[in-house]
Amino acid sequence: GKKAYPVAVGTPARVAKLSEIGALDARKLELVIVDTARNQKDFHLMSLPDTQQDTYALIEKYLLPRIKG
C-alpha cells in the first residue's frame, strides 16, 4: 500500500489542492511551516493578493478545522 508522510511542501494553493484531491490529509499533519522570506523580486507570501488569498483559504478550510478538533 501507499505510505503517507505527515509533511507537505508547496505553495498554499498546491497544499490545498493536495488536501482537496485526497493526496494529503491535513488531520495527520504534525507541523506546518510557512516560508515568509522574500524572494529575489522582494515579494513574500503575503505581498501578492493571490497568494495571500490562497494562504487564508488554506488556513480556514484545512488547518483551522484540525486545530479546533
Side-chain angles (χ1 to χ4, degrees):
K2 292 182 180 181
K3 182 165 173 111
Y5 296 94
V7 175
V9 177
T11 63
R14 180 67 178 144
V15 172
K17 182 68 172 179
L18 291 170
S19 294
E20 185 179 309
I21 65 172
L24 172 69
D25 185 350
R27 295 172 297 176
K28 294 182 179 177
L29 291 176
E30 297 177 14
L31 177 67
V32 175
I33 298 171
V34 178
D35 180 358
T36 59
R38 293 182 180 276
N39 66 13
Q40 292 177 345
K41 294 182 180 180
D42 205 33
F43 292 120
H44 58 82
L45 188 67
M46 302 306 277
S47 64
L48 298 172
D50 288 344
T51 56
Q52 184 181 41
Q53 184 178 10
D54 291 343
T55 302
Y56 289 139
L58 173 67
I59 292 168
E60 183 178 8
K61 188 171 183 181
Y62 296 104
L63 301 180
L64 279 181
R66 186 203 186 283
I67 293 169
K68 292 180 179 178

